Amino acid sequence: MTVLGLASCDLDAPTLSTLDESTMFSTYALAEAEVMSVNVSFGETNSYRGRYLPYYGLNNDVEVGNSPDLTKSNDGGKYDLWTFNTLPTNSQMNTDNNAYAMFYQGVERANLAIKGIRQYGDVAKNKDMAHLLGEALTLRAVLYNDLIKAWGDVPARFEPNSNENIYLPRTNKDIIYKQLLADLKEAEDLCYWPNENSITKTTERVNKAFVKGLRARLALYAGGYALRGDGYRRSNDPDLAPEKMYQIAKEECEAIINAGHNKLGSFEENFRKLCQDNVTAGGESLWEIPFSAGRGRVLYTWGIKHQAKDQYTQQAQGGTNGPIAYLFYDYDEKDLRRDITCIPYEWSKELVNGNAHVTFRAINKWCFGKLRYEWMNRIVTSTNDDGVNFQYMRLADVYLMAAEAENELGNTAAAWNYMKPVLDRVLPAEKVAALQAKYTASKEAFREGIYDQRALEFAGESLRKIDLVRWGIIDEKMAQAKVKLKALQERTGAYEGLPNTVYINNAEDANNIQMYGFNRGEDDPSIISTLGEWEKKNWFVSSDKPTLEDSYIDGLYTVQPSTHCLWPIWQTFIDKSNNMLNNNGNLGQL
């Protein structure tokens, strides 16, 4: 994997400051090193690694910080980042080296590379140099995508820093979106498809499929709802009208699918490959944020909890974020995604001959299971960093974006053709047929199907919050989540009849874990009598009290989500902005 800890150039090469720009950006190896330096900004301590990936996107109706609780007033500011009530002085974020600053560091590196390659790279004659230009444009778009998602209107920096532009105000996000859509349109004509060239043989390098997929994603965001200075609404810019944005998404996604350079494998295979550092291009993964073996906290944040340094890892981490308490029960029992995504156990602190065993967590502390130390094929060498890449986009997303766009453009029958492959690999044929009948009944029914299937497909991948925001349904879905949690607490409605006692076999072998009691009907005394020394736990009610407490339900959010779905720009940057930056009107505080 890419080593983010090194300087941006090869160790034996002179630095940019000692080289003439014309040499730097006319020599492929040197220009490539400058483009790759953007990756350093992803891996900085408080950038994507330790701040953005752990915290952005929580809470929503499928993903929560473990565990939301209104009484958590001394958690170092983490809770306030989850509950839509974040202050500019947040103790996790109000530092000069946090994600906001590191994103702009990456933007500056991309800007320098873009300017230099345009001027000296001879991209009209050198296809590899042209690819580097497209890659730099795309990495800059990644950074701006995430800046807008988290902070809304932000300063638009599309030229290297100078005395003239060092202080900039916030720019309307619509202007930035239009620039990014144009940049990615240019980049897709410059970049190679996966495996078309040696440059794109790895998922750690930008390729044409990812460029097109990112342009589709940005079009959906640009045409959707967002928090703006005068409220939560769609853009009024005719260039970003929903039908135009859906058309872009449709064309880009269908081009990726029809080109056939990437293939859907099994659902589980995708995540096993991610944990095993398999970065071979052409599978489901389109692009990954690359972390070196001693960098990145992806499993730390989104993996199954290990309480000790056990037979699978030398890192006692994982389980920082998890599925909302009811998510497991939202899946069909036959859905292969359920038992991969939602994990009710962790690996024990107690070791026997160096081995941990599985033991239950609690109903408010589920783990995500898409990422597992157990699936890695190397030992973790860091206390906090696991080195697993963050999968930024995969092909299933392209299929479901295509399905969504086709439906919104009035082609529900065509839309089903793009949803079907995603469902075929996880559900029995009769279940897929039943969903086809349900979803294709109308445009509105299919839209609801998109809402549901994106939740079930991408839980634990940090896409849900921005989906709810862009669809304009975040308030509705978050309120519905509290209703569902209350019903789960009382085992009423959809959760009526679920057994209270659950059992696990305390396995030390990750391939031999067995559980009983999580499905209706799994309370047969004749079966329970054969479970021997299995651990058992009261899942819903213990000592005549519900195990899912009101503080968990109430703590999902504390203010109206739609008007507080952005983070403020942190106070340290406002104080140093020469009065150019503020948070007025950007957080719904009109």
Side-chain angles (χ1 to χ4, degrees), residues 203-359:
T203 56
E204 295 181 331
R205 294 295 296 268
V206 165
N207 58 68
K208 191 190 296 285
F210 173 63
V211 178
K212 286 178 167 290
L214 182 60
R215 189 165 185 259
R217 180 180 285 180
L218 285 170
L220 294 180
Y221 293 170
Y225 285 79
L227 181 58
R228 302 174 183 276
D230 60 351
Y232 177 60
R233 59 170 175 81
R234 293 186 189 271
S235 172
N236 292 324
D237 190 324
D239 291 338
L240 301 178
E243 61 274 12
K244 292 182 180 179
M245 296 299 98
Y246 279 122
Q247 186 64 31
I248 288 175
K250 164 185 151 53
E251 291 174 359
E252 297 290 17
C253 291
E254 290 177 356
I256 297 167
I257 295 167
N258 293 336
H261 292 279
N262 294 84
K263 304 293 183 184
L264 284 174
S266 76
F267 183 76
E268 180 176 320
E269 176 191 30
N270 173 70
F271 300 106
R272 281 188 176 270
K273 288 171 67 175
L274 188 61
C275 292
Q276 293 166 1
D277 307 326
N278 184 336
V279 295
T280 303
E284 183 164 352
S285 185
L286 268 64
W287 182 71
E288 301 165 11
I289 293 178
F291 291 117
S292 64
R295 208 64 180 155
R297 295 168 63 171
V298 175
L299 284 179
Y300 177 107
T301 304
W302 297 98
I304 297 176
K305 177 67 176 176
H306 286 245
Q307 291 284 0
K309 298 178 180 180
D310 56 32
Q311 65 269 37
Y312 292 108
T313 176
Q314 291 300 301
Q315 183 183 101
Q317 298 293 359
T320 301
N321 300 334
I324 198 167
Y326 58 68
L327 182 61
F328 176 90
Y329 305 101
D330 280 1
Y331 287 93
D332 188 286
E333 289 182 17
K334 300 294 185 181
D335 193 327
L336 297 179
R337 296 173 296 191
R338 184 189 72 167
D339 294 348
I340 294 170
T341 303
C342 301
I343 303 298
Y345 60 78
E346 62 186 27
W347 290 87
S348 66
K349 185 175 183 179
E350 300 75 24
L351 301 180
V352 177
N353 297 323
N355 292 343
H357 64 271
V358 290
T359 182

Side-chain angles (χ1 to χ4, degrees), residues 326-522:
Y326 58 68
L327 182 61
F328 176 90
Y329 305 101
D330 280 1
Y331 287 93
D332 188 286
E333 289 182 17
K334 300 294 185 181
D335 193 327
L336 297 179
R337 296 173 296 191
R338 184 189 72 167
D339 294 348
I340 294 170
T341 303
C342 301
I343 303 298
Y345 60 78
E346 62 186 27
W347 290 87
S348 66
K349 185 175 183 179
E350 300 75 24
L351 301 180
V352 177
N353 297 323
N355 292 343
H357 64 271
V358 290
T359 182
F360 279 128
R361 300 199 96 194
I363 196 169
N364 66 339
K365 291 184 179 180
W366 288 79
C367 290
F368 284 115
K370 290 176 173 178
L371 302 173
R372 310 184 186 201
Y373 292 98
E374 305 91 282
W375 287 347
M376 295 179 69
N377 54 17
R378 59 178 168 83
I379 297 295
V380 176
T381 58
S382 168
T383 302
N384 292 329
D385 293 72
D386 46 74
V388 171
N389 289 348
F390 182 80
Q391 191 170 68
Y392 201 85
M393 182 177 289
R394 58 188 175 94
L395 191 59
D397 194 6
V398 172
Y399 273 95
L400 290 181
M401 286 193 292
E404 178 181 348
E406 284 282 17
N407 183 62
E408 294 300 329
L409 293 170
N411 308 315
T412 302
W416 171 253
N417 292 332
Y418 293 114
M419 182 182 282
K420 187 177 186 295
V422 176
L423 300 182
D424 279 342
R425 65 177 182 169
V426 295
L427 287 166
E430 65 274 13
K431 298 280 188 180
V432 176
L435 289 176
Q436 179 180 5
K438 177 182 177 181
Y439 292 159
T440 59
S442 67
K443 180 179 180 179
E444 292 71 25
F446 197 91
R447 184 183 298 138
E448 292 291 331
I450 287 289
Y451 296 164
D452 291 346
Q453 291 305 322
R454 287 190 67 86
L456 301 175
E457 181 70 24
F458 301 117
E461 299 179 54
S462 206
L463 291 173
R464 186 61 173 179
K465 178 181 175 182
I466 187 60
D467 275 347
L468 296 180
V469 170
R470 70 179 178 87
W471 288 327
I473 60 172
I474 189 167
D475 291 340
E476 170 193 336
K477 286 294 186 181
M478 294 301 286
Q480 185 182 93
K482 286 191 175 183
V483 173
K484 291 172 68 174
L485 287 171
K486 192 67 177 177
L488 182 71
Q489 179 191 60
E490 300 171 350
R491 279 186 295 168
T492 58
Y495 313 109
E496 185 176 1
L498 291 170
N500 183 54
T501 308
V502 293
Y503 303 82
I504 194 167
N505 67 345
N506 299 119
E508 297 179 6
D509 180 359
N511 297 313
N512 190 38
I513 299 168
Q514 299 177 57
M515 293 180 290
Y516 186 77
F518 283 96
N519 297 316
R520 285 183 180 81
E522 290 188 344

Side-chain angles (χ1 to χ4, degrees), residues 72-143:
K72 286 193 172 183
S73 57
N74 298 313
D75 67 345
K78 298 175 185 177
Y79 176 75
D80 291 336
L81 291 170
W82 300 340
T83 57
F84 302 88
N85 197 21
T86 310
L87 298 177
T89 53
N90 182 271
S91 57
Q92 288 291 319
M93 294 292 197
N94 189 33
T95 61
D96 290 340
N97 69 342
N98 77 79
Y100 180 87
M102 294 301 99
F103 288 12
Y104 274 109
Q105 178 193 80
V107 167
E108 175 66 7
R109 287 170 167 159
N111 284 340
L112 289 167
I114 291 165
K115 180 181 178 182
I117 295 171
R118 285 196 192 283
Q119 188 169 359
Y120 302 110
D122 197 13
V123 297
K125 297 180 181 178
N126 188 326
K127 290 185 177 181
D128 287 359
M129 277 293 198
H131 178 91
L132 284 183
L133 175 58
E135 193 160 12
L137 289 166
T138 303
L139 292 174
R140 186 173 68 181
V142 166
L143 290 159

Side-chain angles (χ1 to χ4, degrees), residues 158-176:
F158 292 102
E159 295 291 337
N161 292 342
S162 66
N163 290 334
E164 287 70 37
N165 69 2
I166 191 167
Y167 297 111
L168 292 176
R170 295 179 113 152
T171 302
N172 186 307
K173 64 174 67 67
D174 291 349
I175 295 172
I176 300 175

